[in-house]
C-alpha cells in the first residue's frame, strides 16, 4: 500500500503537452489510468514502469538546486559512493529503494551557490584576473583542490559559459584519478580546451547549449558508450523533452534492434532528432531556418550542425589530452633541468664564496645601507643569488606552489629550493642586498662611518656605499635647488663617497615605442581589419584589453580563412598566434601592394565567407585562387625576408659573442696594465697620489680600476671621515675636517679645519711610515713602523692624552703629535683604537693603556677611575693578573680587550704537548651596552668562555667577536637586527652565535636514538653514541648477532649538512692466543657507511644492502681494518639517517660512531675573518681562500655544472688564471662533481635525455653549450602525436544509402567467395581456381552495377560516389 500511494502521488498531477511529431491520441494514458480508483487495487503496471516510479524526475537545473532530501540520480563522478565517507546505506548495485545521504554534498553545493550569489555584485571582473588567483580564491581550505560545484561556479566567474552537463564532462576529463577533486594543473587542462585565444589551437569555444551528447555521456555511468532504458528515461527528462512513457518505450524498443536492453549514442541521437524542437535548436545555434523546409530537411541540417560541433569538441578534447601529455613531458624535463640549474647555482655560489664575501647586518642609523646594488653585465645573476641567500624565505621563488612545512621532515626534499629557503639560517635577519657587487672580489677589511661603509680588498681596491639623503624634502618655489641638481646624498656623505663633483645623471630615456612593442599594435591592426577594434579605457593595459574584450568578437575561422587565402596553412596555432601571423601579412600587403589592393583583398575575403555560408563553394574557390595569385610575389618576398632574418640573427649572435670576448680581453689588459703601473698619477699640487674608490650603488662614484701604485693595506673610519694607509706607509685622510681631525694643516694651505674631497696625504708623517691607524668621532691616532704613537684632532675629554693643558682650555691638534705612553721605558706600540671620547692602545708586551672620558666605566679602571683621564694610564688589573692584551677596540661607551693566543707547553714526559691558550675577551663600560655596569674589565662569559677570540669590535651600542674557528658572536643593542639576530629582539645580554655565517661542526650523533638489526649480549645500539670511543672491552662496544648484512643506524633528529663521519673500531683481542689478534676488529670490513634523507628499511639480508645503497644520498665503503676510519662526506650533502652495514654474514660490532656537521639543510657560507661594528650595523668579512688548489677545484666544479658560470667567474681576479687554463670547460673534462658512484644532476639529465642530446654540438662561435641552451633544446622538442581520428560522416541521403548498399553487397560477395566452396568442387581460397558459375555471377553483377550507374547519370540522379566513399579508401559504415 505504501508503494502504491507513492506511485499514485507521483503520477496523478502529471499533465504534459504532446511532443512535436506525435498526436495527442498517440500519447499514453498511463497518467490518467494510474489515478486512485475507489474499490480497485490499481492498474496493472509493467516492471519497467515500476522501476521508473521509484525515481524522481530531474531537470537540467537540478545539479545546482536539487533538494538534498530527494537527491536525483547523479552522473558517475558525482555519485556519493565515490567517497566512502559520504555513503550511507547504499552502493552501486544495491536495492533501488535504498537512500543515499547527501548532506555533505548538498552543503558544499549550497555553499558554492551562496558564494556565487554573494559575488555577483562584488564589482570584480574575474575573467581579467589570472587563473591562478581565481583558483586560489575558490580553494578556501588551502588544499590545492576544488570539487565540481566550485568548478562550475569558477567557470561562470571566468565568463566561460557551458551547460551543466558539459561542465561535468570537462570535470571528468580533468579528474584523471577519479577522486572528485582537481588541482590547478588539471584545471588548466579545462581552460586549454575552452580558450580559443591562448588555449586550443583550433579556435574551439564551448557553447551554453544542452547537447544530446553531453546528456548522454552524463548518464552513461559506466562509460560503456551505451545506456539502458532507465538511463534513457533520465536523459530525456534531463533534456526536458516532453515524451510520453509509451512513446519512450516504443522509441527505445525501435532502436534497440539487438534486444540487448541498451542503445548507443548514434541511436540515441536519432531519437533526439525525432522528438526535439528542431527549429528552436537551429535558431539557438544561429542557423537561418528555411521557411518552407520539411522537418526531415531540418533534421538533416541539425544533424550536420551536431556533427560539426561534436567533431570540433572531440578535436579540442584530443588537443587538451595531447597538451596534458606534453605538459607532463615538459614537467619531467623541467624537473631534471631544475635540479641541474640548482646544482649550477650551488657550485657558482661556492666558487664566489671561495673568493671572499662581506655581509652587512642592519640598515644603519638612517637606513642608508639598504640601497639596491648597481647592476652591470652578469651582475644580475649574482644579485639574484645573493638576494635569495640573504633574504631567504622572503626571496622570490616558485609562486605557483606553496612552501611546504618543515615539520614533516620524513618526506622533505632537501634539494628543493623552497625547503632550502624555509630552513635558511638567514631567515628573519636584516642583511644588506647591495653587498652582492663585492661577492668574490677578495674583500679583506672594512671601515664604517656614521653614514658610509668603506671596503678594501687584499689587492688594495676601495669601494664605498651608503650615504644619507637630504634631510629636507620640500624646496621653496624660488629656491636655487629647484633648477639645479643637489646630488644624491648630503654634502658630508659626498665627501666620503667621493661624489662631490659627480655630474648630474642624464634623464631616463622614455621608450616611446614601448607600448607599440608589446604586441598591442599587432592586435589593433588585426581587430581593425575585421572591424572589431574599440578604444581601450585610460590606464588599462592595451594588449590585455584587446585580447580579453575585443578579440573574442573575431571568429577563429575568419583568421584561418584570411591566412589560407594568402597561402598559409596554420596548424596548431592559437588565435593570438594567428593574429601575429596575419599582422605581418597585412603590413606586407600595405607596403608592397598598396592600400587599394589591400582593401580589395579584404573585400574578396568577405565575399568568400558569405559564399561559404550559402554553400557556393566553387565560386569561393575561384576567389581564393585570385587572391593566391596576387600573393604569389609576396610569398617570395616573405621567404627572402625570413632567410635574411635567420641569417641576421645568427650573425648577431656570433657578433655579440665576439664583442663580449673583445671587451673582456680589453678589460683584462687594462687591469693588467693598472696592476703593473709604477708611475703614480698625482694630484694637481703633486703632494698626493690619486687614490680612487669605486661605488657599488647608483649613489657611488661608479666602477674604478685599481691602480697598482695606489694599493691600500689598511683603512679606518670615524664619524664623518676616513683614513687609509698606503702600501708605502703614507697616511691618507679625507672627509669632514672640523676640529683638525684630518691632520692636513700643511697640505691644505694652512687651514686646519678644511674638508678633503679626496684621499689626501698627511705630510706631517711623510718621513715616518705608518703601520696602523684608527679613527674616533673627531680625532685620530696611528702607530708608525718605529712603534711610536701619534694623535691629532679634537682634544675634548682628554681623548688625545695631551695632559692637563687640554683640560684648562678647549683645543685641538691640527697636526699629528707624538704621544709617549711612559716617560721612561718607552713601550713599543702594537695597536691603537679610538672611541667617541676615549682612546686605548696596546703594546708588544701585552700592556693596555687607556685615556679620555671615563664616564660609564668605559676606561675599565674601576669605580675610582670614572673621571676623565687626561694622560695615558695602564690597566694594571689585567697586567698583574697575567693577561697579555693583543687587541683592543673602543666603542661609544664601552671598551673590549682580547688577550693574545700563545702556544704553551703542557704535560710531562711523553704527554708533553703544545696547547694554545689565550683568546679571552674582557669588557668594560656602560650597562646600556653590556647589560650590566662594568667599571673594570671583566671577562665576558657565556658561549665565549669556551672559545678563543682573535678579534673584537666595539660599536655604537653593540659588540662583535670573531673566534679562532671563524665563528661570529654579537651582543648588545640589536637595533634593526644589527647583531645578526631577529629584529624583534631588542637586546642581547650575552654573546650570541651568528649561525648564518659559520657554526663549528659538532658530534650530531651523540645521545641520539639508534637501532640495529639484532642485539648480542645486551650490547645495545645506544652504546655507539654515548661519546666513549674506547673499544678495549665488549661492554664498551655495540654488537649484533651473526646476521646476514647486519646493520646499525642512528637518527640525527633533523636534517644536517654533513662534514665528517668517524667510525671507531673495537681494540680488544681474543683471550685465546691461538686466535688471530685482529679477529674482532677485522669483522668490521668490508662494510658501508651511508647517509639518507628517509628512514632505512628494517629488513635483514636479501637485498637489504642494495636497497639501502640505492636510497642513500652519499655512501662510503670501508675495506681496511683501522682503529678509526674517517669519511669526509662530499660537499652539500644533507641527510638525517646514518647507517653502518656489513656486506657479508657476520657480527657487527664497533666502539663509536661520530657524525660531525651542522643542523640545517644549508651549510655555512664560510669562516668569519673580521668583524666591524658601527652605528646600528655590523660588517662581517669572510676573506678569500689562500690555497690555490681550493680555487682550482671550485672553479672546475662551477664550469662543469654550467659553462655560463665561466663568464661570471672570469670577471673576478681570483679566477683569472683558472679561466685562462680551463676556459668554459669541454667534453674532455672529467666531471669531478660525481662522487661516491653517484652522478651529479647535470650528468643525470644528459643520461636521461641522451637520445635528444646525442647530437649535441658546440654552440655559436664554437663555444660550449650552456645549461640554458641545453634546456632550450630539450623544451623545444616537438609535441607528441595527436591521438585523434576524424569521424567518417555517413551520407544518409538516398544517393548515399544506395552507395552504402552497393558497397555492402560487394563486401558480402567477396566474403562468400572466400568461405563458400563452389558446386563443381573447386576450392575458393587464395590462389585457387574459381568456378565458372561464380565468374558469370560476378560479371552479371558488375554489368548490372554499371547499367544502374549509367541510368543514374542519364536520369540526373545522384552523382557517383566520391573517392573517399569507395570501400578500401578509409570509408566505414
Amino acid at each position: 500500500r505504501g508503494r502504491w500511494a507513492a506511485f499514485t502521488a507521483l503520477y496523478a498531477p502529471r499533465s504534459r503537452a504532446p511532443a512535436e511529431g506525435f498526436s495527442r491520441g498517440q500519447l499514453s494514458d498511463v497518467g490518467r489510468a494510474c489515478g486512485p480508483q475507489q474499490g480497485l487495487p490499481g492498474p496493472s503496471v509493467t516492471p519497467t514502469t515500476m522501476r521508473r516510479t521509484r525515481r524522481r524526475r530531474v531537470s537540467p537545473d537540478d545539479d545546482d538546486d536539487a533538494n538534498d532530501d530527494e537527491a536525483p540520480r547523479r552522473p558517475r563522478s558525482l555519485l556519493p559512493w565515490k567517497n566512502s565517507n559520504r555513503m550511507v546505506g547504499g552502493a552501486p548495485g544495491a536495492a533501488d529503494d535504498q537512500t543515499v545521504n547527501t548532506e555533505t554534498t548538498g552543503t558544499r553545493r549550497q555553499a558554492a551557490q551562496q558564494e556565487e550569489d554573494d559575488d555577483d555584485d562584488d564589482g570584480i571582473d574575474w575573467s581579467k584576473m589570472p587563473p591562478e588567483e581565481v583558483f586560489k580564491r575558490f580553494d578556501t581550505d588551502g588544499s590545492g583542490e576544488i570539487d565540481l560545484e566550485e568548478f562550475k561556479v569558477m567557470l561562470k566567474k571566468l565568463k566561460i559559459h557551458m551547460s551543466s552537463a558539459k561542465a561535468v564532462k570537462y570535470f571528468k576529463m580533468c579528474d584523471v584519478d577519479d577522486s572528485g577533486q582537481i588541482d590547478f594543473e588539471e584545471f588548466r587542462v579545462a581552460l586549454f580546451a575552452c580558450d580559443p585565444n591562448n588555449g586550443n589551437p583550433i579556435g574551439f569555444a564551448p557553447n551554453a547549449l544542452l547537447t544530446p551528447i553531453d546528456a548522454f555521456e552524463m548518464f552513461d555511468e559506466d562509460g560503456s558508450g551505451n545506456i539502458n532504458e532507465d538511463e534513457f528515461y533520465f536523459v530525456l527528462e534531463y533534456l526536458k523533452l516532453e515524451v510520453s512513457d509509451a512513446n519512450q518505450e516504443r522509441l527505445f524498443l525501435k532502436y534497440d534492434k539487438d534486444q540487448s536492453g541498451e542503445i548507443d549514442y548514434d541511436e540515441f541521437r536519432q531519437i533526439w532528432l525525432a522528438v526535439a524542437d528542431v527549429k528552436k535548436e537551429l535558431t539557438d545555434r544561429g542557423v537561418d531556418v528555411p521557411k518552407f523546409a520539411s522537418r526531415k530537411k531540418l533534421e538533416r541540417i541539425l544533424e550536420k550542425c551536431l556533427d560539426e560541433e561534436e567533431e570540433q569538441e572531440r578535436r579540442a578534447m584530443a588537443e587538451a589530452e595531447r597538451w596534458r601529455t606534453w605538459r607532463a613531458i615538459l614537467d619531467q624535463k623541467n624537473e631534471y633541468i631544475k635540479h641541474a640549474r640548482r646544482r649550477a647555482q650551488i657550485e657558482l655560489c661556492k666558487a664566489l664564496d671561495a673568493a671572499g664575501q662581506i655581509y652587512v647586518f642592519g640598515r644603519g642609523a638612517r637606513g642608508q645601507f639598504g640601497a639596491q646594488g648597481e647592476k652591470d653585465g652578469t651582475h644580475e645573476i649574482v644579485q639574484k643569488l645573493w638576494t635569495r641567500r640573504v633574504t631567504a624565505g622572503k626571496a622570490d621563488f616558485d609562486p605557483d606552489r606553496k612552501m611546504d612545512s618543515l615539520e614533516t621532515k620524513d618526506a622533505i626534499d632537501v634539494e628543493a629550493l623552497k625547503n632550502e629557503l624555509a630552513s635558511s639560517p638567514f631567515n628573519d635577519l636584516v642583511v644588506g642586498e647591495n653587498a652582492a657587487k663585492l661577492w668574490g672580489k677578495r674583500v679583506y677589511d672594512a671601515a664604517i662611518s656614521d653614514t658610509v661603509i668603506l671596503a678594501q680588498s687584499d689587492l688594495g681596491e676601495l669601494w664605498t656605499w651608503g650615504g644619507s639623503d637630504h634631510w629636507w624634502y620640500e624646496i621653496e618655489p624660488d629656491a636655487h635647488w629647484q633648477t639645479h641638481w643637489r646630488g644624491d646624498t648630503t654634502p658630508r656623505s659626498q665627501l666620503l663617497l667621493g661624489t662631490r663633483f659627480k655630474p648630474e645623471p642624464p634623464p631616463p630615456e622614455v621608450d616611446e615605442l614601448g607600448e607599440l612593442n608589446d604586441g598591442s599594435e599587432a592586435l589593433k591592426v588585426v581587430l581593425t581589419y575585421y572591424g572589431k577594434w574599440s578604444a581601450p579605457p585610460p590606464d588599462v593595459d592595451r594588449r590585455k584589453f584587446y585580447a580579453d574584450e575585443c578579440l573574442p568578437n573575431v571568429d577563429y575561422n575568419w583568421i584561418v580563412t584570411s591566412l589560407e587565402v594568402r597561402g598559409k596553412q596554420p596548424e596548431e596555432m592559437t588565435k593570438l598566434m594567428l593574429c601575429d601571423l596575419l599582422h605581418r601579412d597585412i603590413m606586407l600587403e600595405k607596403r608592397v601592394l598598396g592600400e587599394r589592393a589591400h582593401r580589395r583583398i579584404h573585400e574578396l575575403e568577405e565575399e568568400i565567407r558569405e559564399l561559404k555560408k550559402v554553400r557556393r563553394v566553387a565560386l569561393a574557390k575561384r576567389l581564393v585562387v585570385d587572391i593566391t595569385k596576387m600573393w604569389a610575389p609576396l610569398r617570395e618576398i616573405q621567404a627572402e625576408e625570413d632567410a635574411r632574418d635567420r641569417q641576421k640573427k645568427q650573425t648577431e649572435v656570433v657578433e655579440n659573442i665576439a664583442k663580449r670576448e673583445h671587451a673582456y680581453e680589453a678589460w683584462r689588459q687594462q687591469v693588467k696594465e693598472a696592476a703593473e703601473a709604477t708611475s703614480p698619477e698625482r694630484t694637481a699640487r703633486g703632494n698626493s697620489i690619486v687614490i680612487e674608490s669605486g661605488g657599488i650603488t647608483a649613489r657611488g662614484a661608479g666602477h674604478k680600476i685599481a691602480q697598482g701604485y695606489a694599493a691600500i693595506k689598511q683603512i679606518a673610519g670615524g664619524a664623518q671621515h676616513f683614513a687609509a694607509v698606503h702600501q708605502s706607509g703614507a697616511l691618507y685622510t679625507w672627509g669632514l675636517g672640523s676640529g683638525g681631525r684630518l691632520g692636513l694643516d700643511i697640505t691644505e694651505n694652512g687651514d686646519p679645519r678644511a674638508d678633503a674631497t679626496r684621499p689626501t696625504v698627511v705630510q706631517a708623517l711623510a718621513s715616518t711610515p705608518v703601520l696602523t691607524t684608527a679613527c674616533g668621532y673627531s680625532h685620530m691616532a696611528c702607530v708608525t713602523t718605529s712603534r711610536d704613537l701619534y694623535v691629532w684632532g679634537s682634544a675634548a675629554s682628554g681623548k688625545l692624552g695631551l695632559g692637563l693643558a687640554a683640560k684648562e682650555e678647549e683645543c685641538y691638534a691640527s697636526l699629528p703629535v707624538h704621544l709617549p705612553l711612559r716617560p721612561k721605558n718607552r713601550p713599543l706600540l702594537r695597536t691603537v683604537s679610538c672611541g667617541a671620547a676615549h682612546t686605548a692602545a696596546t703594546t708588544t708586551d701585552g700592556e693596555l693603556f687607556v685615556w679620555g672620558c671615563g664616564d660609564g666605566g668605559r676606561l675599565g679602571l674601576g669605580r675610582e677611575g670614572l673621571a676623565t683621564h687626561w694622560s695615558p694610564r695602564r690597566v694594571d688589573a689585567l697586567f698583574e693578573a697575567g693577561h697579555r692584551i693583543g687587541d683592543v677596540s673602543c666603542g661609544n661607551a664601552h671598551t673590549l680587550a682580547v688577550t693574545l693566543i700563545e702556544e704553551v707547553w703542557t704535560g710531562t714526559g711523553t704527554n708533553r704537548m703544545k696547547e694554545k691558550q689565550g683568546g679571552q675577551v674582557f669588557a668594560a663600560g656602560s650597562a646600556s651596552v653590556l647589560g650590566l655596569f662594568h667599571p673594570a674589565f671583566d671577562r665576558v662569559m657565556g658561549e665565549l668562555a669556551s672559545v678563543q677570540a682573535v678579534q673584537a669590535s666595539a660599536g655604537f651600542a653593540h659588540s662583535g667577536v670573531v673566534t679562532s674557528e671563524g665563528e661570529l658572536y654579537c651582543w648588545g643593542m640589536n637595533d634593526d637586527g644589527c647583531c645578526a639576530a631577529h629584529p624583534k629582539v631588542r637586546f642581547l645580554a650575552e654573546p650570541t652565535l651568528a649561525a648564518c655565517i659559520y657554526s663549528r661542526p659538532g658530534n650530531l650523533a651523540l645521545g641520539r636514538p639508534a637501532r640495529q638489526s639484532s642485539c648480542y649480549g645486551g650490547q645495545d645500539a645506544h652504546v655507539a653514541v654515548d661519546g666513549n670511543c674506547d673499544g678495549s672491552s665488549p661492554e664498551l662496544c655495540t654488537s649484533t648477532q651473526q646476521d646476514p648484512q647486519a646493520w646499525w643506524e642512528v637518527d640525527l633528529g633533523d636534517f644536517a649538512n654533513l662534514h665528517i663521519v668517524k667510525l671507531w673500531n673495537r681494540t680488544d683481542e681474543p683471550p685465546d692466543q691461538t686466535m688471530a689478534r685482529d679477529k674482532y676488529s677485522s669483522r668490521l670490513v668490508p662494510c658501508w657507511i651511508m647517509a639518507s634523507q628517509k628512514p632505512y628499511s628494517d629488513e635483514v639480508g636479501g637485498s637489504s644492502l642494495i636497497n639501502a645503497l640505492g636510497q642513500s644520498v652519499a655512501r662510503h665503503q670501508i675495506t681496511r681494518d683501522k682503529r678509526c676510519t674517517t669519511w669526509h662526506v662530499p660537499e652539500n650533502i644533507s641527510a638525517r639517517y646514518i647507517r653502518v652495514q656489513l656486506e657479508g654474514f657476520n657480527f657487527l660490532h664497533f666502539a663509536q660512531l661520530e657524525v660531525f656537521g651542522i643542523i640545517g639543510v644549508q651549510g655555512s657560507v664560510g669562516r668569519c675573518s673580521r668583524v666591524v661594528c658601527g652605528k646600528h650595523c655590523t660588517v662581517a668579512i669572510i676573506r678569500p681562500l689562500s690555497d690555490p688548489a681550493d680555487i682550482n677545484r671550485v672553479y672546475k666544479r662551477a664550469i662543469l655544472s654550467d659553462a655560463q658560470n665561466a663568464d661570471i667567474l672570469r670577471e673576478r681576479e681570483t679566477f683569472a688564471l683558472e679561466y685562462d687554463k680551463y676556459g668554459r670547460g669541454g667534453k674532455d673534462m672529467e666531471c669531478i662533481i660525481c662522487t661516491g658512484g653517484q652522478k651529479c644532476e647535470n650528468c643525470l639529465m644528459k643520461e636521461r635525455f641522451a637520445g635528444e642530446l646525442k647530437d649535441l654540438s658546440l654552440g655559436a662561435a664554437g663555444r660550449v653549450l650552456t645549461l640554458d641552451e641545453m634546456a632550450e633544446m630539450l623544451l623545444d622538442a616537438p609535441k607528441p602525436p595527436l591521438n585523434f581520428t576524424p569521424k567518417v560522416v555517413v551520407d544518409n541521403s538516398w544517393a548515399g544509402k544506395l552507395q552504402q548498399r552497393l558497397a555492402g553487397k560487394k563486401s558480402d560477395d567477396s566474403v562468400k567467395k572466400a568461405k563458400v566452396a563452389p558446386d563443381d568442387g573447386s576450392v575458393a581460397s587464395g590462389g585457387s581456381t574459381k568456378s565458372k558459375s561464380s565468374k558469370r555471377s560476378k560479371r552479371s553483377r558488375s554489368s548490372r552495377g554499371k547499367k544502374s550507374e549509367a541510368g543514374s547519370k542519364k536520369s540526373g540522379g545522384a552523382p557517383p560516389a566520391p573517392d573517399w566513399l569507395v570501400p578500401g579508401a578509409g570509408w566505414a559504415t
Side-chain angles (χ1 to χ4, degrees), residues 459-461 670 673-675 677 681 690 692 705-711 727:
L459 301 177
E461 297 177 272
Q670 292 178 5
E673 293 176 356
E681 179 184 357
V690 176
E692 295 182 319
I705 297 179
Q707 304 294 322
Y709 56 78
Q727 59 184 356

Side-chain angles (χ1 to χ4, degrees), residues 58 72 166 258 691 702 713 822 850 959 965 975 995 1140 1168 1371:
V58 295
K166 194 179 293 290
D258 56 356
I691 299 176
K713 66 178 184 179
R822 276 198 303 259
V850 294
S959 307
E965 294 287 340
D975 293 306
V1140 179
C1168 186
W1371 173 83

Side-chain angles (χ1 to χ4, degrees), residues 961 1176 1344:
V961 168
H1176 306 331
R1344 285 198 301 269

Side-chain angles (χ1 to χ4, degrees), residues 611-880:
L611 290 173
K612 287 184 177 180
K613 284 184 180 180
V614 297
R615 292 178 173 81
R616 300 183 64 183
V617 181
L619 183 56
K621 287 183 178 180
R622 286 199 295 269
L623 295 180
V624 171
V625 172
D626 293 342
I627 300 178
T628 306
K629 290 180 179 179
M630 296 176 62
W631 249 84
L634 272 67
R635 284 193 295 272
E636 295 180 1
I637 294 175
Q638 274 191 345
E640 294 176 358
E641 290 180 352
D642 292 342
R644 284 198 301 268
D645 291 342
R646 287 193 297 268
Q647 182 64 31
K648 182 179 179 182
K649 187 178 295 185
Q650 295 176 357
T651 304
E652 287 179 354
V653 171
V654 176
E655 289 179 353
N656 289 335
I657 293 175
K659 287 181 180 179
R660 288 198 300 267
E661 294 299 322
H662 179 72
Y664 170 73
E665 294 296 336
W667 173 78
R668 281 288 303 275
Q669 185 64 27
Q670 292 178 5
V671 171
K672 182 179 179 181
E673 293 176 356
E676 296 175 352
T678 56
S679 301
E681 179 184 357
R682 297 187 177 273
T683 58
R685 297 181 58 184
N687 297 324
S688 304
I689 296 175
V690 176
I691 299 176
E692 295 182 319
S693 60
I696 67 172
T697 63
R699 292 177 171 183
H703 178 69
K704 305 291 183 182
I705 297 179
Q707 304 294 322
Y709 56 78
I712 301 298
K713 66 178 184 179
Q714 196 250 332
I715 56 177
Q720 296 293 338
H721 62 291
F722 282 126
V725 179
H726 189 259
Q727 59 184 356
S728 63
L731 179 65
Y732 286 77
T733 60
W734 68 99
L736 188 68
S738 62
R741 68 188 73 182
L742 299 181
L744 303 178
D745 187 19
I746 299 177
T747 308
E748 297 300 324
N749 298 321
D751 184 358
R753 295 176 296 177
D755 299 337
T757 60
R758 49 175 175 73
T760 306
V761 66
V762 180
Q763 288 192 354
L765 297 173
S767 59
T768 306
V770 175
L771 186 65
T772 181
T773 184
C775 298
Y777 178 80
S778 58
H779 73 294
M780 291 181 62
C782 71
V783 176
T784 63
T785 53
S786 59
R787 301 292 179 173
D788 291 325
L789 176 65
Y790 288 84
V791 295
W792 63 95
S794 174
S797 303
K799 53 190 172 185
L800 293 186
L802 299 179
L804 297 177
K807 178 181 179 181
E808 297 174 357
E809 262 185 69
E810 183 178 353
C811 59
Y812 64 88
S814 59
L815 292 175
V817 177
H818 179 257
L819 178 63
L821 296 183
R822 276 198 303 259
K824 299 180 180 179
N825 299 327
R826 181 179 70 87
L828 300 179
L829 270 294
R830 182 193 298 272
T831 62
V832 64
S833 178
C834 299
H838 70 292
T839 310
T842 63
T843 67
T844 55
D845 295 332
E847 298 175 292
L848 174 62
F849 289 84
V850 294
W851 61 94
C853 178
D855 186 26
R858 70 190 73 183
L859 297 182
L861 298 176
R863 294 185 178 273
E864 68 281 359
L866 299 181
T868 300
H869 292 264
W870 303 94
S871 299
R873 181 176 175 181
R874 191 181 74 174
V875 183
D876 294 332
L878 292 177
F879 187 76
E880 292 173 358

Side-chain angles (χ1 to χ4, degrees), residues 1329-1346:
T1329 306
K1330 298 181 180 179
S1331 65
K1332 297 181 179 179
S1333 60
S1334 64
K1335 293 181 180 179
R1336 287 195 300 269
S1337 177
K1338 180 178 179 181
R1339 285 196 297 269
S1340 63
R1341 285 196 300 269
S1342 177
S1343 61
R1344 285 198 301 269
K1346 292 180 180 179

